[in-house]
Amino acid sequence: MIKHTLRAGRRAVSPGLRCFSETSGGGVSEDGLERTSSPPLTKQASLYVHWPYCLRRCSYCNFNKYIPRENNDPVMTECLQRETETLLQLSQVSCITSVFFGGGTPSLAHPSTIAAVLQTVSRRAYLSDEAEITLEVNPTPVGKSKLEDFCRAGVNRFSIGVQSLQDEDLKSLGRDHSSHQALQAVEEARRLCPGRVSVDVMFGRPKQSVASWEKELSELLRVCDDHVSLYQLTLERGTQLFKQVLGGGVTVPGEDVMAEMYRCARRTLHQDGLLQYEVSNFARHQAVSHHNTGYWKGRQYIGVGPGAHGRFVPLGEGGVLREARTQTLDPDAWIREVQQRGHGTRRRIQLSHLELLEEVLVMGMRMTDGINHKHWEMFSPQLGLREVFGTTSDVQELLQSGHLILDDRGLRCSWDGLVLLDSILPALLVELERQISPRLQIDHHGDGQTKSQTSSPP
Amino acid sequence: MSLCLVKRWCETPLMRRVLQFKVYRRKIQSDNNRTYTLLRHRWMKRLPVFCSGFRMASTQTHKDTIDLSKFPVDRIRNFCIIAHIDHGKSTLADRLLEMTGAIAKTENNKQVLDKLQVERERGITVKAQTASLIYRHQGEQYLLNLIDTPGHVDFSYEVSRSISACQGVLLIVDANQGIQAQTVANFYLAFEAQLAIIPVINKIDLKNADPERVELQIEKVFDIPREECIRISAKLGTNVEAVLQAVVYRVPAPLASIDDPFKALVFDSNFDHYRGVVANIAVFGGRVRKGDRIVSAHLGKSYEVNELGLLRPDEHPTQKLFAGQVGYIIAGMKDVKEAQIGDTLYLQEQPVEALPGFKPAKAMVFAGMFPMDQSDYPGLRSAIDRLTLNDSSVTVQRDSSMALGAGWRLGFLGLLHMEVFNQRLEQEYNASVIVTAPTVPYKAVLSSAKLIKEHGSEEITIVNPAQFPDRSVVSEYLEPMVLGTILSPDSYTGKIMALCLNRRGIQKNMVYIDDQRVMMKYLFPLNEIVVDFYDLLKSMSSGYASFDYENAGYQAADLIKMNILLNGQPVEELITIVHRARAYSQGKAMCERLKDSIPRQMFEVAVQAAIGSKVIARETIKAFRKNVLAKCYGGDITRKMKLLKKQAEGKKKMRRIGNVEVPKDAFINVLKRKIK
């Protein structure tokens, strides 16, 4: 079964009901967290749980995954629980807003593992019945047969790695399911979690044409639920596909073709009511992924499992700055560390004020709504969006060319601008640094200001 | 033919340069003689500048003194070795040094006189070295002064000065390769100086050696009877003794009298941080001793002689130097410019007429040099200062470019000179530099009275293309010309003639030097051969053609200034002076190179070459249609941030021309020489 998908999975989503929540899709309002008396950023977090194992390697995937030599599920389960406990304790968060099981192939895990982790979370923090609990699924017959048990274990949203509806492509990408099996898995997932199933699709695959992509998309639209994630296939160093392309044995569509595929997908999905809310994510009936939205809004998250990343303030040990944390990559080493000291955190980097704002900017701009003033103010109470970006000529040019919008709502890309986000961000980052760094310096050299004031003759 | 050449030689300045890039590299064996390795190290550590290390060490070790008065003029021979690159000049020098006991005979004497790292690596001689050999023949002791010359006509000024200190030359020709372009150039240098020429055919041990054919070539091209050729293998030492005997018999003793007032020619100089300038001199008359006050004819400054002696090849101090002898002198000069090659020294109380032919070296190829990073500016400056301390022929002017920052425009004798300078900068001073494409000094004859007054002369030299005066104020532009010599197997003549034609070459002459090899003479604009001509010539002839050139004055030329535009905005640092006939191909090439090195932007970028307001070439950099990372979630942030921060940093360093952001690399790619 191999699971799908490229990197860590976390994607997909759609709100909706789930086994124990009866809520309708609109139950969780998008800005709910900000609107409701916004608890301090450090009081809550989302949780990402990484299941590192796959049955085989997909030719395009460079993510942290391992082909297990033996079944050590019980040990893995125990360690995931243990690390969850440790990190929850360290972060001192009182509420976990969402949980995402990614991988690897988390649908290979036993449903009881999922249940155990969720129980651990509930013991240590508040986990609402309505909280979004997503599991990445590899749409094999086995994967499909376990969906119901996963729901019982607490999962209320599935992200299904369909990737392609062309069996030939699935084969060449190293996937271990057919398109028919994938569609069956989607159907089953929709039966279990209506309105809360996401499908992942990849474009820019070897030999793919714009026409065949369009056809595939319309087929997909017939079967998908309320959430779609579309990814342009990215060649990653070290993958088999990378070598094949480098060696000339395989060709992927050129830049212009890729751009055309993306453009046409955006349009087609939009026409079907699947509104784009992030570069690669589209939702109908507001069925956005709350978990992923948390990343783009710069909220705290705790990463558990081999190679998982986290961003939170370790209040439990008196920390005041947010840290970028990475867990040990190799599962065996990670297991040893968790067994020895309760967690497998390998790297901790404190984020400075500027670095935090940089992340907020880079992640926030990926959303079609961009960054609103209130959102920015939570991280930068002193310096508003207009003050940071409103004056410089570089940004002015982007505003004038229509790529960027800065208005009463906030800062965001236009429809055309979003496609070029990575060309826009460097200019914004340069400006952010220019505005933030000198202020930090001036704060340290307050006398400099006084001097200039007194020196001006009355 | 030779007459016409000699005539031309006399008309043109005493400068010839050969474009002779080393293609073959000699392997330097790591098991070098230990003593030498050691000395070298010591010297490199202690002296930032070369050329004196061996001497320093040797002054401490030599105990015996040589009584130079034992060598009257008739027992002195001054000679040099000239050869095409890799024909075995340095190897023969090694053998001569060994046979006369100047250095110990070991397996490891390899290019003992080539002291610079670049010399050994490239198998070329850059800096002339000198060694006095004591040779015993038929009961008499002779003082044979071997003046090793630079192997390249870029350094032909040095060659010509070295030659003027000699009465004879060994003209070495490879028994396999035969006469090459540089052999011809060197021959005429010696011939014009009326030296005794001893043809030596080297490498007779090679399997494909064909000494008979080479002798016939020598007879045909140089008009030297084939019987006069000496066949040797310098590598094996075969018949080298005959060379020493020939030097004694065929090279005349110097015409110098000990009774004349002291008069010496400076034919080389080095800089030593501890002792100042070390000048190599040939004594043309009288004697000089420690404590004498001497005067440099060129500057008129006087100095006291602190030290003098022989070079064997290490410095070997003596009390005096006598007429006819060759040695070194240290006299408190602080700058190599005080001991310029070709200058005359005399005693303060006995002024003499300066020796003829002195001309300061003239730069013929210019290139901008900029530090890779502006913070390296001071370091690079001191590295350039130190190197030029030892090489007075490099001219240095400060320059600055909006794209590359502050730097220098350096003038070199020729391309190899420039390349060697660069390599030394990198190797010896560990300085990493951006070198712009070489340009040549153009001239303009001004027609505007106002400008003439401003410049103080009617004719001005233009080194920096940005200062190219407008056609409207100029009556004529002039470009430097060279006379090129090409030798090649005749099977390549067609291709070579096409290449020369394409480079605006005018054929002056074509001669078969034997039944297979052709010698061609072409008049070229220097600009046309300065960048890639030699590489092309070599590749189209499978490496068999050789090329050499000498300066041939200036000629009127239809020159124009070409601008490069990015979305209509001119780029100052890319202004180029071109011949009208070549504008399109050069403009096209520059646009293509720029296109390849400017990253795609959010909008389309037009890269154009223009003459005045007329666009003659265009490339288009298409706009990005999509540039956004597909997946970006919690785990991907760090990597993504790193990438973006790098781009943001790069953005700060970009040069903005109009609305186009141009990375520094793009300028470098367009401006720097192509390295093959």
Side-chain angles (χ1 to χ4, degrees):
Chain A
M1 28 225 43
I2 313 293
K3 183 343 168 344
H4 71 333
T5 291
L6 336 187
R7 338 20 245 284
R10 0 21 260 236
R11 60 220 48 178
V13 169
S14 52
L17 6 154
R18 192 310 268 166
C19 320
F20 33 52
S21 93
E22 24 48 73
T23 337
S24 70
V28 187
S29 77
E30 209 211 310
D31 267 342
L33 295 163
E34 277 164 38
R35 219 181 291 146
T36 56
S37 71
S38 51
L41 281 162
T42 53
K43 277 289 164 203
Q44 55 184 35
S46 55
L47 178 71
Y48 174 77
V49 182
H50 192 76
W51 183 263
Y53 301 120
C54 286
L55 284 187
R56 60 195 241 203
R57 250 173 253 279
C58 297
S59 69
Y60 53 85
C61 175
N62 73 337
F63 211 68
N64 184 35
K65 63 200 181 273
Y66 301 83
I67 314 299
R69 293 178 302 272
E70 58 197 316
N71 179 3
N72 53 356
D73 283 12
V75 183
M76 181 52 76
T77 305
E78 195 184 296
C79 287
L80 287 174
Q81 285 180 284
R82 177 93 191 276
E83 190 172 53
T84 302
E85 241 169 55
T86 312
L87 297 183
L88 280 174
Q89 162 72 26
L90 181 66
S91 70
Q92 296 276 293
V93 297
S94 53
C95 173
I96 286 296
T97 52
S98 62
V99 181
F100 196 107
F101 292 92
T105 310
S107 56
L108 288 179
H110 197 274
S112 64
T113 299
I114 306 300
V117 172
L118 292 175
Q119 274 158 21
T120 307
V121 176
S122 294
R123 270 203 307 276
R124 289 282 168 176
Y126 172 68
L127 179 64
S128 159
D129 281 357
E130 290 175 34
E132 181 185 285
I133 314 290
T134 309
L135 175 81
E136 286 184 331
V137 177
N138 202 27
T140 59
V142 178
K144 179 192 145 204
S145 69
K146 289 163 82 178
L147 293 181
E148 191 156 1
D149 288 338
F150 282 127
C151 277
R152 288 209 191 90
V155 172
N156 57 16
R157 186 172 177 274
F158 290 110
S159 169
I160 302 186
V162 174
Q163 309 314 353
S164 166
L165 295 178
Q166 314 282 342
D167 284 340
E168 218 174 283
D169 287 7
L170 289 171
K171 212 177 261 173
S172 77
L173 294 172
R175 308 285 302 169
D176 60 352
H177 55 83
S178 67
S179 65
H180 178 69
Q181 291 167 340
L183 295 180
Q184 285 184 323
V186 172
E187 204 181 304
E188 170 72 353
R190 291 184 69 181
R191 185 182 69 79
L192 294 164
C193 301
R196 305 195 69 163
V197 176
S198 174
V199 295
D200 278 8
V201 199
M202 245 171 7
F203 66 91
R205 305 183 311 251
K207 288 189 274 183
Q208 197 180 21
S209 70
V210 175
S212 70
W213 170 233
E214 274 183 310
K215 199 165 143 256
E216 199 174 339
L217 265 181
S218 58
E219 236 175 282
L220 184 79
L221 285 170
R222 280 203 303 275
V223 299
C224 74
D225 197 30
D226 288 344
H227 194 279
V228 173
S229 300
L230 295 180
Y231 302 113
Q232 177 178 319
L233 174 65
T234 315
L235 289 179
E236 300 288 358
R237 279 180 180 286
T239 60
Q240 196 195 334
L241 187 65
F242 186 84
K243 275 176 229 145
Q244 288 167 337
V245 171
L246 213 66
V250 171
T251 49
V252 289
E255 259 180 80
D256 285 355
V257 178
M258 292 279 201
E260 184 53 29
M261 287 177 174
Y262 184 62
R263 196 186 66 85
C264 124
R266 288 174 92 192
R267 196 189 48 211
T268 309
L269 294 180
H270 190 86
Q271 281 164 359
D272 237 64
L274 281 158
L275 306 183
Q276 185 176 27
Y277 67 101
E278 193 261 355
V279 171
S280 302
N281 286 280
F282 300 78
R284 196 150 45 198
H285 308 135
Q286 298 179 345
V288 300
S289 162
H290 293 291
H291 182 86
N292 290 337
T293 302
Y295 296 140
W296 300 316
K297 292 206 162 178
R299 294 182 188 138
Q300 290 205 125
Y301 55 96
I302 295 167
V304 165
H309 290 250
R311 290 282 187 287
F312 62 88
V313 182
L315 288 177
E317 53 172 45
V320 289
L321 289 178
R322 183 182 286 196
E323 290 183 357
R325 302 171 65 97
T326 317
Q327 311 309 107
T328 295
L329 276 173
D330 173 66
D332 295 339
W334 174 83
I335 285 169
R336 270 196 307 279
E337 287 166 33
V338 175
Q339 285 170 341
Q340 278 164 18
R341 49 186 170 106
H343 67 85
T345 304
R346 181 55 70 94
R347 217 161 62 116
R348 304 171 47 176
I349 295 167
Q350 289 191 341
L351 297 178
S352 67
H353 181 57
L354 174 63
E355 285 166 327
L356 178 59
L357 289 182
E358 285 171 345
E359 290 197 358
V360 169
L361 176 72
V362 165
M363 298 304 276
M365 292 302 287
R366 290 185 66 84
M367 295 181 290
T368 49
D369 281 346
I371 302 165
N372 67 38
H373 293 291
K374 208 171 151 201
H375 171 197
W376 182 257
E377 198 191 302
M378 285 200 299
F379 297 94
S380 175
Q382 320 275 306
L383 211 57
L385 282 172
R386 286 186 199 277
E387 288 158 286
V388 177
F389 301 109
T391 54
T392 121
S393 65
D394 266 20
V395 178
Q396 283 302 325
E397 264 175 40
L398 291 167
L399 294 171
Q400 267 159 26
S401 63
H403 290 102
L404 203 60
I405 301 165
L406 177 58
D407 61 11
D408 290 345
R409 278 163 62 194
L411 181 70
R412 64 190 176 281
C413 291
S414 66
W415 176 264
D416 291 332
L418 194 62
V419 194
L420 297 171
L421 178 61
D422 290 358
S423 294
I424 296 174
L425 285 173
L428 298 180
L429 286 169
V430 167
E431 205 40 44
L432 180 63
E433 189 186 343
R434 183 148 51 200
Q435 294 293 333
I436 299 294
S437 310
R439 268 164 217 264
L440 292 177
Q441 278 162 17
I442 288 166
D443 289 347
H444 291 278
H445 307 288
D447 53 331
Q449 283 179 320
T450 353
K451 231 181 218 165
S452 67
Q453 272 168 5
T454 50
S455 67
S456 62
Chain B
M1 174 205 73
S2 51
L3 257 180
C4 116
L5 227 144
V6 171
K7 192 156 164 257
R8 165 162 294 286
W9 167 247
C10 298
E11 286 164 3
T12 53
L14 267 186
M15 295 169 90
R16 257 165 213 247
R17 358 239 75 114
V18 168
L19 239 202
Q20 198 56 84
F21 292 117
K22 188 48 202 256
V23 183
Y24 343 76
R25 287 175 190 217
R26 261 183 221 166
K27 278 211 186 114
I28 309 300
Q29 310 235 321
S30 53
D31 58 347
N32 254 349
N33 175 315
R34 238 179 230 140
T35 317
Y36 281 93
T37 313
L38 199 84
L39 288 175
R40 184 172 173 74
H41 264 274
R42 184 168 163 170
W43 148 68
M44 289 202 64
K45 285 246 166 70
R46 292 172 58 177
L47 302 171
V49 181
F50 292 110
C51 305
S52 317
F54 287 94
R55 299 161 191 179
M56 282 226 30
S58 69
T59 47
Q60 296 152 7
T61 53
H62 269 271
K63 286 161 221 108
D64 59 322
T65 41
I66 295 164
D67 182 3
L68 285 179
S69 59
K70 275 204 262 168
F71 297 103
V73 170
D74 63 359
R75 232 104 44 69
I76 297 174
R77 302 288 182 272
N78 295 325
F79 70 105
C80 56
I81 310 177
I82 54 182
H84 188 79
I85 186 161
D86 219 25
H87 281 196
K89 180 165 71 100
S90 299
T91 311
L92 176 59
D94 289 347
R95 287 301 89 72
L96 297 179
L97 291 178
E98 283 171 12
M99 291 175 63
T100 56
I103 58 171
K105 187 168 181 173
T106 79
E107 287 290 292
N108 303 317
N109 288 331
K110 297 232 154 80
Q111 299 167 268
V112 169
L113 295 182
D114 289 344
K115 294 176 185 174
L116 305 185
Q117 188 183 347
V118 40
E119 290 180 324
R120 287 169 176 247
E121 264 183 28
R122 297 168 66 119
I124 56 169
T125 304
V126 172
K127 196 76 189 156
Q129 300 293 339
T130 296
S132 293
L133 316 173
I134 295 169
Y135 177 56
R136 187 171 285 281
H137 180 63
Q138 297 189 338
E140 299 281 4
Q141 270 204 341
Y142 290 86
L143 185 65
L144 309 184
N145 296 311
L146 163 59
I147 294 164
D148 191 20
T149 60
H152 300 276
V153 181
D154 264 10
F155 310 103
S156 68
Y157 183 67
E158 296 200 12
V159 176
S160 70
R161 300 322 297 175
S162 298
I163 279 178
S164 63
C166 298
Q167 288 73 45
V169 297
L170 302 176
L171 179 69
I172 306 200
V173 186
D174 183 307
N176 181 12
Q177 292 185 18
I179 290 181
Q180 298 290 316
Q182 209 182 319
T183 321
V184 179
N186 282 324
F187 168 80
Y188 286 113
L189 278 179
F191 184 78
E192 194 264 341
Q194 299 186 322
L195 304 191
I197 297 169
I198 303 171
V200 176
I201 298 174
N202 189 21
K203 305 195 189 182
I204 56 167
D205 56 306
L206 291 186
K207 211 171 87 201
N208 295 323
D210 188 356
E212 287 80 21
R213 188 176 68 102
V214 176
E215 282 171 3
L216 286 172
Q217 287 180 354
I218 289 173
E219 198 167 65
K220 169 142 193 192
V221 179
F222 301 140
D223 206 16
I224 297 173
R226 71 187 86 158
E227 296 74 28
E228 289 184 20
C229 296
I230 304 173
R231 297 182 187 183
I232 67 162
S233 162
K235 192 173 133 205
L236 305 179
T238 314
N239 215 18
V240 176
E241 182 75 27
V243 174
L244 284 170
Q245 286 170 16
V247 169
V248 170
Y249 289 127
R250 296 200 222 165
V251 177
L255 281 174
S257 165
I258 201 150
D259 304 321
D260 289 346
F262 169 66
K263 182 187 205 175
L265 169 77
V266 178
F267 64 87
D268 194 10
S269 60
N270 303 300
F271 184 80
D272 177 319
H273 266 267
Y274 297 91
R275 302 179 299 169
V277 173
V278 181
N280 290 2
I281 58 166
V283 183
F284 279 43
R287 75 187 77 189
V288 63
R289 78 187 99 197
K290 224 169 144 172
D292 280 350
R293 279 207 81 79
I294 56 167
V295 177
S296 124
H298 175 54
L299 293 173
K301 282 173 86 169
S302 74
Y303 308 90
E304 186 184 320
V305 177
N306 304 325
E307 184 185 328
L308 76 182
L310 289 183
L311 296 160
R312 314 203 53 224
D314 307 333
E315 284 174 10
H316 188 111
T318 57
Q319 291 304 307
K320 299 172 192 163
L321 280 176
F322 297 92
Q325 293 172 355
V326 168
Y328 72 97
I329 191 163
I330 298 171
M333 294 172 175
K334 295 280 182 289
D335 185 335
V336 275
K337 296 210 163 50
E338 293 176 75
Q340 288 209 39
I341 294 168
D343 201 357
T344 305
L345 302 178
Y346 56 83
L347 290 177
Q348 194 167 28
E349 61 271 22
Q350 287 178 296
V352 299
E353 199 179 320
L355 294 157
F358 171 74
K359 278 192 193 74
K362 198 162 104 202
M364 286 313 288
V365 175
F366 291 82
M369 286 207 182
F370 299 87
M372 207 62 106
D373 186 304
Q374 280 296 307
S375 61
D376 298 337
Y377 183 89
L380 185 58
R381 182 178 55 201
S382 66
I384 288 176
D385 282 351
R386 274 178 288 168
L387 264 184
T388 49
L389 259 183
N390 221 347
D391 187 349
S392 58
S393 53
V394 180
T395 64
V396 182
Q397 259 177 286
R398 287 182 48 180
D399 195 4
S400 79
S401 143
M402 298 231 267
L404 307 176
W408 301 266
R409 185 159 287 265
L410 304 190
F412 301 97
L413 300 175
L415 275 181
L416 181 82
H417 187 205
M418 176 174 103
E419 198 143 301
V420 164
F421 186 91
N422 247 343
Q423 204 172 337
R424 288 181 68 182
L425 258 187
E426 291 194 0
Q427 285 177 348
E428 292 157 29
Y429 301 111
N430 200 18
S432 174
V433 289
I434 299 162
V435 182
T436 66
T439 59
V440 302
Y442 292 105
K443 287 182 176 176
V445 182
L446 300 171
S447 60
S448 134
K450 185 169 157 258
L451 276 180
I452 294 173
K453 204 177 156 199
E454 220 171 84
H455 288 282
S457 68
E458 195 185 347
E459 195 177 277
I460 58 165
T461 300
I462 309 133
V463 167
N464 190 336
Q467 286 148 12
F468 192 70
D470 192 74
R471 176 87 248 185
S472 62
V473 298
V474 166
S475 61
E476 196 175 37
Y477 296 111
L478 304 170
E479 67 177 333
M481 305 297 290
V482 294
L483 185 67
T485 303
I486 299 167
L487 271 103
S488 166
D490 60 358
S491 49
Y492 301 110
T493 19
K495 278 193 207 165
I496 292 174
M497 286 167 72
L499 171 69
C500 295
L501 197 65
N502 180 255
R503 297 310 176 95
R504 298 193 283 136
I506 294 166
Q507 196 179 74
K508 291 289 180 192
N509 179 329
M510 182 166 157
V511 183
Y512 272 83
I513 63 165
D514 61 23
D515 53 357
Q516 280 159 22
R517 293 186 66 84
V518 177
M519 178 165 78
M520 291 174 274
K521 299 257 178 194
Y522 272 90
L523 188 66
F524 287 109
L526 174 59
N527 184 43
E528 297 288 341
I529 57 158
V530 105
V531 178
D532 55 358
F533 178 80
Y534 186 73
D535 292 333
L536 281 172
L537 183 71
K538 273 286 174 196
S539 69
M540 69 171 46
S541 65
S542 311
Y544 285 114
S546 63
F547 177 66
D548 193 358
Y549 68 91
E550 63 186 276
N551 291 326
Y554 276 78
Q555 263 186 14
D558 190 4
L559 301 175
I560 42 178
K561 180 157 100 174
M562 181 170 73
N563 275 309
I564 299 291
L565 313 175
L566 291 179
N567 277 356
Q569 292 282 322
V571 187
E572 192 211 336
E573 43 273 84
L574 297 181
I575 295 172
T576 315
I577 299 171
V578 290
H579 189 271
R580 191 179 296 276
R582 303 272 286 144
Y584 172 74
S585 58
Q586 283 194 27
K588 180 95 187 144
M590 285 179 82
C591 289
E592 280 168 4
R593 281 219 238 174
L594 260 184
K595 181 193 174 178
D596 291 343
S597 41
I598 296 178
R600 291 172 81 167
Q601 323 243 329
M602 289 169 69
F603 41 82
E604 187 176 287
V605 178
V607 184
Q608 296 165 309
I611 303 218
S613 58
K614 191 178 159 221
V615 171
I616 58 165
R618 171 182 172 132
E619 293 287 326
T620 305
I621 301 169
K622 286 204 284 178
F624 257 130
R625 284 200 53 202
K626 178 173 190 284
N627 182 28
V628 59
L629 183 69
K631 303 187 78 166
C632 190
Y633 299 95
D636 309 316
I637 297 182
T638 308
R639 188 176 161 203
K640 167 84 173 161
M641 289 308 302
K642 238 184 224 165
L643 209 76
L644 284 169
K645 290 291 286 174
K646 210 173 131 195
Q647 286 170 18
E649 281 311 303
K651 197 177 164 67
K652 285 192 222 159
K653 288 183 195 145
M654 296 230 199
R655 167 124 150 75
R656 243 181 122 98
I657 290 155
N659 57 351
V660 184
E661 286 180 331
V662 186
K664 217 187 252 178
D665 289 359
F667 292 101
I668 298 169
N669 289 344
V670 176
L671 293 175
K672 83 171 176 203
R673 302 199 49 231
K674 270 194 187 152
I675 292 155
K676 293 257 161 76

